[in-house]
Amino acid sequence: MAVLTARATDFPRWYQDVLAKAELADNGPVRGTMVIRPYGYALWERMQADVDARIKAAGAANAYFPLFIPESYLRREAEHVEGFSPELAVVTIGGGKELEEPIVVRPTSETVIGEYLAKWTQSYRDLPLLLNQWANVVRWELRPRLFLRSSEFLWQEGHTAHADEADAAAYARRIAHDVYRDFLTDVLAIPVFIGAKTRRERFAGATNTMTCEGMMGDGKALQLATSHELGQNFARAFDIDFLGADGAKHLAWTTSWGCSTRMVGGLIMAHGDDNGLRVPPRLAPTQAVVLPVRDDEAVVTAAREIAAALTAAGVRTQLDARPGLSFGRRVTDAEIKGIPVRVEVGPRDLAAGTVTLARRDTSVKAQVPLTEAAGRVPALLDEVQASLYAEALALRESRTADVTTLADAAAAAQDGFARIPWRLVGEDGESRLAEDALTVRCLQTPDGAVPAPGDDPAELVGLVARSY
């Protein structure tokens, strides 16, 4: 009997099965909330650590801002509050008394951070001011789905202030490329389309939103990270101004950018198969698991020595010799959790001086000399990493069609992406696509780059898809 629902039979049910069987997350006690279990959190921790290092390499420093935001802050930027109004959670009672002013539980922090950017920015010498925070946010979702759309989720949100528009735009683009795109492709092994959102899909209050869009195993799109140019909208609302080198006062230019635990959902759906997760080795909390076939002292001792050798070789290794649990059950557990490589050792292996290396991505097994196992695994992990990316890219390419009509775009986007000249869509066509639950995920130049300010909109290409 199959442990998981087959993806081809019911993809949403398969996703829920993986969440449960791989022990990633559970529903919280309040509708739409999420309990992240240790293995799911281990995946998030590794994502967080890598992204955090990239953010710091881009010059931003971590800070922390309050969970509660005065409602009046949001109302100071009209387009922003209008964009988030249906999703807000508002506190009206505190300490048993009705509050004089309602407090919003942060859906994002542009407004509260804008208040402090104004306080901390006096001179052009204070700029650029580059901040990031790791936090939780609340957006009241009507159709929650664990990791994809939960009412509370974890993320990072960067907020910066700059002396001029060009510097702000360049920084927002740097984050989109050097932090998000590079992490998603190099670590998560998810090929992404990077482009600009249309006016309809743009972040509330932004002048430009750049996005990384990945294709999931069912052909739908998932927005994995965004970077926003905010122009001077928030600077004007929060008086983020500074004394320039010319002795005059100037408004700053600001950006914001973020990625979240949604990336865990993307990992599941981009790489998972009918046996569970397939975790890219660069991300995997456990890169190799050593499995003794039998609860035999000599076998377990050999397995322990192999695990130690792998650890010494720099491989994140786990020894799974749980007593009372069959070898088959331990193999199934490793497969469901997507551990990239299994090292299997039994009495016959010891007698022959060999072990079995099993790849999670392809299920291919190979016998290797026991003395060579620790040396072979690191190269094998590199092969698995490259293989997962290549497989995801091949799927995306096979399900991305170039079209020239809205009807063909709608047809292609039923189970993939459609690439269509933006001049053939426009805002009217975008509205017609929305009637069929289709969106223009992003706009690109014909060669697949993020559009620049001077690019002719008539020359841009739109990517149409269903999305999560």
Side-chain angles (χ1 to χ4, degrees):
M1 183 178 177
V3 177
L4 306 174
T5 302
R7 294 191 311 157
T9 300
D10 188 337
F11 196 85
R13 182 68 260 168
W14 166 84
Y15 180 78
Q16 295 299 325
D17 285 352
V18 173
L19 291 175
K21 298 295 185 179
E23 300 179 338
L24 298 174
D26 210 339
N27 291 302
V30 174
R31 184 180 181 275
T33 61
M34 171 173 60
V35 175
I36 304 176
R37 300 184 67 177
Y39 188 58
Y41 201 81
L43 292 170
W44 172 242
E45 277 185 314
R46 289 200 57 80
M47 292 180 186
Q48 183 182 35
D50 195 294
V51 171
D52 190 61
R54 293 170 191 266
I55 288 170
K56 287 171 179 169
N62 285 339
Y64 185 79
F65 292 83
L67 173 68
F68 297 128
I69 302 173
E71 189 179 50
S72 60
Y73 280 27
L74 271 77
R75 300 201 177 280
R76 286 165 67 178
E77 213 295 313
E79 187 179 349
H80 190 67
V81 70
E82 182 181 351
F84 278 101
S85 186
E87 302 176 349
L88 296 180
V90 183
V91 179
T92 58
I93 297 174
K97 297 180 180 180
E98 187 166 340
L99 301 175
E100 291 184 10
E101 178 185 354
I103 295 171
V104 172
V105 182
R106 64 176 167 227
T108 179
S109 299
E110 277 76 10
T111 56
V112 66
I113 293 180
E115 181 79 6
Y116 287 87
L117 289 176
K119 181 178 180 181
W120 298 336
T121 302
Q122 306 299 324
S123 162
Y124 71 93
R125 296 184 182 88
D126 299 323
L127 299 175
L129 185 52
L130 312 175
L131 301 175
N132 177 64
Q133 79 164 342
W134 292 92
N136 62 337
V137 290
V138 171
R139 298 179 186 177
W140 215 253
E141 290 288 350
L142 296 178
R143 298 177 182 84
R145 188 174 296 181
L146 295 181
F147 286 121
L148 301 178
R149 289 189 178 275
S150 51
S151 294
E152 179 194 11
F153 55 91
L154 306 180
W155 78 343
Q156 60 73 212
E157 51 177 315
H159 301 268
T160 70
H162 303 259
D164 61 73
E165 183 178 16
D167 190 55
Y171 194 78
R173 188 173 289 243
R174 178 182 180 184
I175 292 293
H177 284 85
D178 297 357
V179 176
Y180 298 142
R181 183 199 59 184
D182 288 359
F183 169 75
L184 291 164
T185 57
D186 296 348
V187 179
L188 292 198
I190 299 176
V192 293
F193 286 118
I194 183 168
K197 289 291 189 182
T198 65
R199 186 183 301 273
R200 179 191 185 103
E201 296 293 322
R202 195 179 292 164
F203 178 72
T207 59
N208 181 38
T209 290
M210 288 165 281
T211 180
C212 291
E213 300 283 335
M215 180 183 284
M216 302 297 100
D218 60 352
K220 287 185 179 180
L222 184 67
Q223 177 182 291
L224 290 159
T226 51
S227 182
H228 317 286
E229 296 173 47
L230 304 177
Q232 294 180 311
N233 292 340
F234 287 88
R236 190 171 293 109
F238 289 88
D239 299 320
I240 309 172
D241 54 31
F242 62 95
L243 194 65
D246 58 1
K249 274 205 167 185
H250 301 271
L251 274 180
W253 300 80
T254 66
T255 78
S256 68
W257 25 275
C259 65
S260 74
T261 40
R262 172 177 284 197
M263 293 192 300
V264 179
L267 169 75
I268 298 167
M269 295 192 295
H271 296 308
D273 63 13
D274 286 350
N275 293 321
L277 280 172
R278 292 190 301 170
V279 182
R282 290 178 190 165
L283 177 75
T286 298
Q287 296 174 310
V289 59
V290 182
L291 298 170
V293 173
R294 290 183 184 173
D295 187 12
D296 175 274
E297 184 176 351
V299 172
V300 172
T301 298
R304 187 173 291 111
E305 291 172 352
I306 294 168
L310 285 168
T311 299
V315 177
R316 294 186 291 276
T317 306
Q318 172 191 350
L319 171 66
D320 187 356
R322 288 174 287 176
L325 209 59
S326 71
F327 173 70
R329 172 66 184 275
R330 286 178 283 129
V331 167
T332 298
D333 188 54
E335 286 192 329
I336 288 176
K337 291 186 175 179
I339 296 173
V341 172
R342 297 194 312 274
V343 183
E344 301 171 358
V345 55
R348 291 181 182 175
D349 297 301
L350 284 185
T354 64
V355 296
T356 300
L357 300 184
R359 291 174 56 155
R360 174 62 183 88
D361 61 325
T362 61
S363 298
V364 171
K365 293 186 176 184
Q367 296 287 124
V368 302
L370 189 153
T371 55
E372 296 180 14
R376 294 277 192 97
V377 170
L380 188 59
L381 292 172
D382 289 340
E383 290 180 27
V384 174
Q385 181 78 29
S387 172
L388 286 172
Y389 181 83
E391 185 178 333
L393 181 61
L395 173 71
R396 191 187 75 174
E397 296 304 299
S398 70
R399 291 201 186 185
T400 300
D402 289 301
V403 300
T404 55
T405 69
L406 279 181
D408 287 345
Q414 295 307 308
D415 61 357
F417 291 176
R419 189 187 290 112
I420 183 171
W422 175 239
R423 67 179 183 278
L424 302 178
V425 182
E427 294 186 1
D428 289 343
E430 195 175 10
S431 296
R432 291 201 297 276
L433 290 169
E435 293 173 4
D436 294 323
L438 300 171
T439 53
V440 178
R441 302 310 303 161
C442 66
L443 300 175
Q444 295 183 314
T445 61
D447 63 356
V450 179
D455 289 340
D456 182 357
E459 297 301 317
L460 301 181
V461 175
L463 287 161
V464 178
R466 295 188 179 278
S467 67
Y468 284 96

